[in-house]
């Protein structure tokens, strides 16, 4: 680049991130400021590029990231790598200006179009400043691109230093010539760790990163790390003076996926005095500031081919290489997507094989806007191609939507007729509505309106689906008999989809029975409703085996879903098993996935861990689970794996699977089982308060008596551990006399020292009827029985009972019921090692596992329910209010601004109905929050 152009570009601001700072004064450094303050014959060096920019106001410190940077800076290379707007510069400047022992890091912001000569001029100035030692003098840094001997001299001088040199290079992606960094890479490798580089970049810099990565000396902080957590989103809004309800905060965090720039845009918009909750729901990528930023900073730097691919694949919610190639006609479309996704942040990958890609939701809004600017014929052609691809890859719901968007009415009708069982809405996908089929086309073929109704039901738009269903029914009276029977079956299926969307379980059952009534044979609807049956009572005698299996699969799955939602677990298990076989015979993978994933959870709940694991992995291996499709179904499979891992005492694996279970926790049955697993992990991890809050919230909404009993029994045990014995007793008294609360009540009596009362309360876990209990409950009762026998001195009986429990637990790999059992169980297990056991290896492992468990939770009582519970951040500040620390000192301890702490304190006072610190602390202690 010519020197004149170099002078122009170096006068630009050091950052383009929205989370950075406005341009600093570009005052030059002369030789009195920095040795070599100007290159010979060149312009002066700019102070703004050698100084960390001031972070934007309000400043929000993020201790978890600052700690990561500090830890990374103890090694040779730390890379903060993410696309525009992810807060790289803000994080680096906040860290660089923080308090630390020793000199502050040297700072250099790389300019656009940096030449090698100019870059090394700035590097020389930065290194002289950071490495200048009063005893040794400045290091021998060359003013321009160094020669090999100069590099060796400089490396030797830095290696001989007593203290390391920290160098921050921001916007390192602007260096496009790998040779420009060759000398810096040499220094990093040959200064004996004295030179440590912290770099910010939008993409990986031209350094041999693999060397440091293999050596374990590379720290990478990427977009996933920089994304704001829900707590940080709340803190940011508080810092901006915006009050947003907690559910809206969660929606905003999900909508932006924690993108810092998007959140700052949102905070500014919410601060304009509009209704915050409504503004959050309306915040999207079509907001002028957001759209302009994404176009200029994210899309504009891309190669034209990549940008065109992203625009054209925006017709689909998610794509992979084959679909992208089909849409664009480019064989390299998949490669271009992979390159765009490499930076992370704005193009997500699902981790499958093949990879599916999905743009950030705000970027997707912008890409759809760009797509709409294409000629209408081109857009229709893209939808036609998408419909064909989806139809050929077992994704009929997506195929139907694109066929309607393309105006391919015959194809849409054909998809409904041949693939209707796969169109039942598992999880609504909010997508734009296709145009209504024209009235003339519907009069000729009423099934076309049914197809439009099915698509809207799949998208979760019940009102629009109902309109299309009525259109279809109005034009179906004159259909000939064979088509009228088929139409009746299809209409009943659409009605069932609408009933599922409505959430009325009774109506779901009635709609499922109406669907069953459309086939002749030995079907016995549980509650026939002849008046509501579209096809009549007799059904269709011409329905063949495949049609019967389709109807049985769809109706049986609907019955299973209703039973699960109402907590009728045995009924749900039987329904799903029957429907699963019918779907398998009919070759309907989507319906089969729904049944297999729920069956996996139900098997895990009853304690058949091996069967649950096999079913869950079978579900996750099905094609419909790829590319963010069927997230609810796949969520149930992950929930099953979480329950299995939890019972096998593998908390890390259980936590990871529970995080992936997400959508399963939105339905009543799944929510209760999710709460059981999450609360158990919290209690085991030393957070009984969190466990109690989770259990209490789930118990109030638990469907059916069985799940309610399980939740109450677990909550009572946690209450007893933390000292709230009265609360535990009251909870069990109200829970009923099922085996789970009865076993918990017996354990409570044993804890109180009344072994006789515990024996009387303990249900008979060896009775024939106990075989129907959930296995975890039966194992718990058996272990308690063995512990009681041991406590009474009957070692022989205790050993026999323990062997029976081990025989039940061994096939499925239960561990937690032993490692988290009452203290006496450990002694019983150890005694079996001495006296002999058929399960020596398992018992030996269990004894070690019990010994490794942390001490029991403190005896402080649990937090009782407030009208508006405290957030985790407020609970943290509440604990500090017990001390003599001022708000200023609390802010310093938590790395928060004083105003943020004051806002949290005001919220604490309001929620605790207190007016001063002493009253708030007293009230919190009464509630056992602290």
């Amino acid at each position: 680049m010519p020197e004149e152009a170099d002078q122009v570009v170096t006068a630009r601001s050091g950052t383009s991130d929205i989370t950075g700072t406005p341009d600093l004064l570009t005052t030059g450094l002369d030789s009195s400021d920095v040795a070599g303050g100007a290159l010979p014959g060149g312009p002066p060096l700019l102070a703004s590029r050698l100084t960390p920019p001031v972070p934007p106001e309000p400043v929000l410190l993020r201790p978890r990231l600052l700690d990561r940077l500090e830890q990374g800076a103890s090694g040779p290379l730390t890379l903060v790598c993410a696309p525009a707007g992810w807060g790289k510069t803000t994080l680096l400047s906040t860290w660089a200006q923080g308090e630390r022992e020793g000199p502050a890091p040297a700072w250099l912001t790389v300019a656009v179009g940096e030449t090698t000569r100019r870059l090394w001029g700035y590097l020389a100035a930065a290194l002289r400043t950071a490495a200048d030692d009063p005893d040794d003098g400045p290091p021998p840094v060359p003013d321009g691109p160094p020669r090999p001997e100069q590099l060796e001299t400089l490396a030797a001088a830095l290696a001989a230093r007593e203290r390391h040199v920290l160098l921050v290079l921001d916007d390192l992606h602007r260096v496009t010539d790998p040779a420009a960094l060759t000398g810096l890479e040499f220094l990093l490798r040959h200064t004996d760790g004295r030179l440590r580089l912290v770099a910010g970049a939008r993409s990986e810099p031209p350094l041999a990163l693999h060397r440091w990565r293999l050596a374990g000396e590379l720290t990478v902080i990427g977009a996933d790390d920089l994304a704001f957590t829900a707590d940080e989103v709340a803190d940011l809004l508080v810092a901006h003076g915006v009050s947003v309800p907690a559910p809206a905060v969660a929606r905003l965090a999900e909508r932006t996926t924690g993108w810092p720039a998007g959140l700052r845009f949102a905070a500014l918009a919410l601060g304009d005095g509009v209704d915050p909750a409504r503004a959050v729901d309306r915040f999207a990528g079509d907001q002028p500031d957001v759209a302009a930023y994404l176009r200029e900073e994210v899309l504009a730097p891309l190669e034209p081919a990549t940008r065109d691919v992203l625009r054209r694949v925006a017709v689909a919610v998610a794509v992979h290489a084959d679909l992208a190639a089909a849409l664009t006609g480019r064989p390299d479309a998949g490669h271009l997507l992979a390159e765009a996704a490499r930076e992370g942040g704005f193009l997500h990958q699902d981790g499958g094989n093949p990879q599916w890609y999905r743009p950030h939701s705000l970027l997707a809004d912008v890409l759809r806007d760009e797509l709409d600017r294409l000629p209408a014929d081109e857009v229709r052609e893209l939808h036609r191609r998408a419909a064909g691809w989806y139809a050929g890859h077992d994704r009929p719901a997506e195929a139907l939507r694109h066929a309607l968007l393309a105006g391919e009415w015959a194809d849409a009708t054909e998809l409904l007729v041949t693939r209707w069982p796969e169109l039942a809405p598992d999880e609504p996908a909010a997508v734009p509505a296709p145009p209504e089929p024209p009235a003339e086309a519907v009069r000729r073929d009423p099934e076309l309106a049914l197809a439009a109704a099915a698509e809207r039901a799949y998208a979760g738009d019940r009102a629009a689906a109902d309109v299309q269903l009525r259109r279809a029914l109005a034009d179906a009276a004159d259909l000939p008999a064979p088509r009228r029977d088929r139409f009746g079956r299809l209409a009943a299926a659409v009605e069932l989809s609408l009933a599922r969307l409505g959430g009325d379980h009774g109506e779901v059952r009635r709609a499922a029975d109406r669907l069953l009534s459309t086939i002749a044979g030995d079907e016995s609807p549980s509650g026939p409703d002849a008046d509501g049956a579209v096809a009549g009572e007799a059904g269709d005698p011409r329905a063949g085996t495949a049609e019967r299996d389709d109807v049985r699969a769809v109706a049986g799955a609907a019955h299973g879903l209703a039973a699960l939602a109402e907590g009728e677990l045995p009924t749900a298990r039987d329904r799903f098993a029957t429907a699963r076989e019918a779907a398998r015979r009919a070759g309907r993978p989507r319906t089969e996935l729904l049944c297999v994933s729920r069956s996996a959870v139900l098997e895990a709940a009853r304690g058949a861990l091996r069967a649950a694991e096999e079913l869950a992995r079978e579900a996750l291996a099905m094609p419909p689970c790829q590319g963010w499709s069927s997230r609810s179904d796949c969520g149930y499979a992950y929930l099953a794996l979480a329950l299995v891992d939890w019972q096998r005492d593998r908390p890390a694996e259980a936590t990871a699977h529970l995080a992936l279970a997400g959508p399963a926790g939105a339905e009543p049955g799944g929510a209760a089982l999710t709460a059981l697993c999450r609360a158990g992990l919290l209690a085991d991890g030393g957070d009984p308060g969190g466990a109690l809050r989770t259990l209490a919230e789930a118990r109030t909404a638990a469907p059916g008596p069985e799940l309610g009993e399980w939740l109450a029994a677990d909550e009572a045990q946690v209450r007893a551990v933390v000292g709230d014995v009265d609360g535990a007793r009251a909870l069990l008294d109200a829970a009923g006399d099922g085996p789970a609360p009865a076993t918990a009540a017996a354990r409570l009596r044993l804890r109180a020292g009344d072994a006789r009362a515990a024996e009387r309360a303990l249900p008979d876990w060896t009775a024939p009827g106990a075989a129907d209990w959930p296995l975890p409950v039966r194992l718990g009762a058996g272990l308690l029985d063995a512990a009681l026998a041991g406590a009474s001195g009957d070692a022989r009986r205790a050993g026999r009972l323990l062997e029976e429990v081990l025989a039940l637990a061994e096939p499925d790999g239960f561990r937690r019921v032993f490692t988290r059992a009452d203290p006496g169980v450990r002694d019983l297990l150890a005694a079996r090692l001495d006296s002999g056991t058929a399960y020596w290896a398992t018992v030996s492992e269990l004894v070690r596992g019990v010994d490794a468990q942390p001490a029991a939770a403190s005896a402080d009582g649990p937090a009782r329910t407030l009208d508006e519970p405290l957030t985790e951040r407020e609970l943290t500040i509440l604990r500090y209010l017990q001390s003599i620390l001022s708000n200023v000192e609390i802010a310093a301890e938590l790395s928060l601004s004083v105003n943020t702490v004051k806002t949290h304190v005001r919220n604490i006072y309001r929620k605790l109905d207190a007016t001063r610190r002493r009253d708030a602390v007293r009230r919190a202690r009464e509630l056992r929050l602290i």
Side-chain angles (χ1 to χ4, degrees):
M1 173 179 289
E3 196 66 35
E4 293 79 8
D6 197 33
Q7 293 179 46
V8 173
V9 297
T10 54
R12 295 184 56 175
S13 169
T15 177
S16 59
D17 284 348
I18 189 76
T19 48
T21 181
D23 288 352
L24 298 173
L25 293 176
T26 54
T27 305
L29 286 177
D30 58 29
S31 58
S32 64
D33 298 320
V34 176
L39 297 179
L45 303 181
L46 304 178
S48 59
R49 293 182 54 192
L50 293 165
T51 307
V54 178
E57 293 290 342
V59 176
L60 181 69
L61 299 181
R62 305 170 72 189
R64 65 180 179 88
L65 294 177
L66 296 175
D67 290 344
R68 281 282 304 277
L69 268 181
E70 196 65 36
Q71 294 167 12
S74 64
L77 183 57
T78 301
L79 180 62
V80 182
C81 187
W86 285 91
K88 303 179 295 296
T89 298
T90 296
L91 174 63
L92 289 172
S93 63
T94 303
W95 171 75
Q97 296 176 82
E99 295 184 3
R100 61 172 46 80
E101 294 183 7
W107 181 280
L108 170 56
T109 299
V110 180
V112 176
E114 193 82 274
T115 63
T116 302
R117 180 170 178 270
R118 190 75 175 157
L119 176 65
W120 269 94
Y122 275 100
L123 280 174
L127 287 173
R128 285 194 187 96
T129 302
D132 194 4
D133 191 313
D135 297 327
D136 299 332
V141 186
D143 287 323
R147 298 186 301 275
E149 64 273 14
Q150 291 176 311
L151 278 175
E152 291 181 1
T153 302
L154 176 57
L158 292 173
R161 286 176 51 84
E162 216 175 293
R163 308 183 70 160
H164 61 263
V165 175
L166 272 176
L167 173 62
V168 179
L169 288 183
D170 194 24
D171 288 333
L172 195 56
H173 57 275
R174 293 173 172 172
V175 177
T176 57
D177 180 9
L181 296 180
T182 301
L184 184 61
E185 186 173 332
F186 179 89
L187 294 178
L188 289 172
R189 290 167 49 201
H190 296 287
T191 53
D192 197 21
R194 293 298 187 271
L195 177 61
R196 300 173 184 178
L197 174 63
V198 179
R202 294 188 181 182
S203 56
E204 289 193 352
L207 296 170
L209 297 179
H210 60 277
R211 294 175 177 171
W212 288 286
R213 186 174 278 123
L214 288 173
E217 295 179 330
L218 173 65
T219 297
V220 178
I221 299 176
D224 289 343
D225 305 300
L226 294 167
F228 274 56
T229 65
D231 279 344
E232 289 170 339
V233 172
D235 287 342
L236 179 68
L237 295 175
V238 168
H240 277 268
V242 178
S243 178
V244 177
V249 172
R251 291 198 301 274
L252 181 60
E254 181 180 5
R255 178 69 172 139
T256 60
T257 64
W259 178 40
L263 286 166
R264 287 196 179 271
F265 278 129
L268 293 171
L270 294 173
D272 290 341
V274 297
D275 176 11
R278 185 181 179 189
V280 166
D281 290 336
R282 297 176 62 183
F283 184 73
D286 58 2
Q287 300 245 343
D289 288 339
V290 177
Y293 187 86
L294 289 171
R295 282 194 169 94
E296 293 174 13
E297 299 293 343
V298 176
L299 294 178
L302 296 175
E303 293 293 332
T306 302
R307 182 167 179 166
D308 186 62
V309 167
L310 288 175
R311 174 175 57 178
R312 292 177 183 278
V313 301
V315 296
V317 175
V319 295
H320 73 55
D322 287 349
L323 175 54
L327 289 172
T328 64
R330 295 184 63 106
D332 64 343
H335 173 73
L336 295 176
L337 288 173
E339 287 293 319
R342 184 168 299 170
E343 296 178 11
F346 288 108
L347 194 61
H348 306 296
Q349 304 174 66
D350 73 335
N353 186 19
Q355 290 276 8
W356 282 77
Y357 302 93
R358 181 178 62 183
H360 187 287
S361 59
L362 298 180
L363 180 62
D365 294 336
V366 175
L367 290 172
R368 281 193 292 269
D369 179 66
E370 295 214 345
L371 174 70
D372 291 341
R373 299 180 185 185
L374 291 175
D377 288 346
E378 286 189 38
V379 176
R380 282 196 296 273
E381 174 62 18
L382 288 171
H383 285 299
R384 189 189 65 76
R385 293 181 183 183
W389 189 92
Y390 282 123
H393 289 80
D394 290 324
R395 293 177 181 265
E398 291 93 333
L400 175 59
R401 181 170 75 90
H402 287 287
L404 290 168
L405 285 165
E408 298 288 343
W409 311 127
D411 290 348
T413 303
E414 180 68 14
L415 282 165
L416 174 73
V417 170
T418 60
R419 311 290 286 275
W420 66 267
E422 306 288 80
L423 301 177
D426 168 48
E427 54 185 287
V431 291
E436 276 195 5
E440 182 59 34
V442 172
R443 281 194 293 272
R444 287 196 307 269
D445 188 356
E447 287 167 343
L448 174 58
L450 281 184
E455 187 280 331
R456 282 295 83 198
Y458 178 78
D461 189 348
R462 191 181 182 204
D466 191 60
V467 169
Q468 294 302 321
L469 175 61
R470 288 198 300 271
R471 286 185 72 195
L473 293 172
D475 289 313
D478 297 332
L479 287 174
R483 283 196 62 190
R484 187 165 59 248
D485 292 333
R486 185 181 74 180
F487 179 91
R489 187 158 52 248
L490 296 174
V494 173
E495 288 178 339
L496 177 54
S497 295
L498 293 178
R500 284 181 53 190
L501 280 177
D504 183 337
H505 304 137
E507 179 56 30
V508 168
R509 288 189 173 96
R510 289 188 291 272
D513 288 341
R514 288 198 295 272
L515 177 60
L516 283 170
S517 73
T518 64
I519 58 174
D522 57 356
E523 311 300 334
S524 300
S526 59
D529 182 357
D531 292 337
V534 177
E537 296 179 359
D540 179 8
R542 291 169 297 280
T545 302
E547 289 89 347
R548 291 172 182 269
D549 282 335
D550 278 338
V551 169
R552 290 168 182 152
V554 172
H559 273 295
L561 289 169
L564 176 57
E566 294 184 346
E568 300 171 2
L569 304 189
T571 300
R573 180 169 171 264
D574 293 342
R575 290 287 195 171
F576 283 129
T578 303
R580 184 176 76 226
E581 292 306 315
R584 187 167 293 169
R585 290 194 301 268
R588 303 298 189 182
R590 182 68 179 269
T591 309
E592 184 182 353
L593 170 62
L594 183 153
C595 297
V596 171
S597 60
R598 269 70 170 187
S599 295
V601 166
L602 292 167
E603 293 296 336
R606 66 189 289 266
L609 304 187
R610 190 179 299 275
E613 184 175 28
E614 290 175 357
L615 286 169
R617 300 210 178 278
E618 178 186 343
L620 293 173
M622 292 181 176
C625 256
Q626 298 176 3
W628 295 283
S629 181
S630 307
R631 288 196 307 146
S632 182
D633 294 333
C634 303
Y636 271 94
Y638 284 118
L639 175 57
L641 292 177
L643 291 167
V644 169
D645 288 326
W646 176 50
Q647 295 290 4
R648 289 177 176 170
D649 202 23
R650 300 194 298 227
E653 293 86 343
T655 301
H657 283 133
L658 197 60
L660 295 170
E667 299 174 357
L673 293 169
T674 298
L676 280 170
C677 184
R678 177 171 288 115
L681 293 168
L682 288 170
D684 295 347
D687 185 6
L692 288 172
R693 287 191 295 274
T694 300
L695 290 167
E697 181 180 351
R699 182 168 48 81
T700 59
E706 187 172 21
L707 286 170
E709 288 179 358
W710 295 358
L711 290 162
D714 278 21
E715 185 179 345
Q717 291 186 56
V718 180
R719 286 188 178 277
V721 167
V722 299
D724 185 12
V725 178
D726 292 340
R729 287 199 187 104
L731 195 58
L732 292 174
D733 288 343
D737 56 358
T743 301
R747 183 174 290 110
L748 197 63
R749 289 170 170 79
L750 180 59
R751 282 179 176 271
D754 193 344
R756 288 185 177 276
E759 290 176 358
R760 290 193 299 270
L762 184 66
D764 186 1
W765 65 281
T766 61
D772 294 330
W773 296 1
L775 190 51
V777 175
R778 194 177 182 196
L779 293 174
L783 275 182
L784 185 56
D785 199 5
L788 287 167
S792 68
D794 191 347
R796 183 184 296 275
R797 181 170 181 270
R800 177 177 57 80
L801 292 173
L802 187 58
E803 285 293 298
E804 291 180 21
V805 174
L806 286 165
L808 288 172
E810 177 69 15
D812 286 292
F814 277 89
R815 293 293 183 270
R816 182 180 183 272
V817 70
F818 297 97
T819 58
R820 309 288 175 172
D822 296 283
V825 171
R826 190 265 177 211
D827 296 333
L828 294 178
L829 289 168
R832 299 310 297 166
L833 293 177
D834 297 331
S835 60
T837 173
Y839 308 98
W840 196 94
T842 298
V843 173
S844 177
E845 176 192 336
L846 288 171
V847 170
R848 291 195 303 271
V850 172
D851 289 342
Q853 295 308 320
S858 71
D860 292 338
R864 290 181 173 85
T865 304
L866 291 170
D867 291 338
E868 184 179 356
L870 300 178
T871 66
E872 291 298 323
R873 183 74 78 187
E874 288 165 356
L875 284 170
T876 300
I877 292 175
L878 176 61
R879 297 185 188 104
Y880 277 96
L881 294 182
Q882 301 174 93
S883 68
I884 61 172
L885 295 178
S886 67
N887 286 344
V888 174
E889 291 168 324
I890 294 174
E893 287 287 323
L894 297 176
S895 299
L896 296 172
S897 72
V898 177
N899 286 336
T900 298
V901 170
K902 288 180 178 178
T903 301
H904 284 308
V905 170
R906 286 196 297 271
N907 290 338
I908 291 169
Y909 288 178
R910 176 176 55 79
K911 293 178 180 180
L912 294 178
D913 193 22
T915 56
R916 56 181 180 171
R917 178 185 283 209
R918 181 180 299 176
D919 293 338
V921 171
R922 177 182 55 77
R923 174 71 171 147
R925 286 173 176 165
E926 289 173 356
L927 295 172
R928 297 179 180 178
L929 294 169
I930 53 178

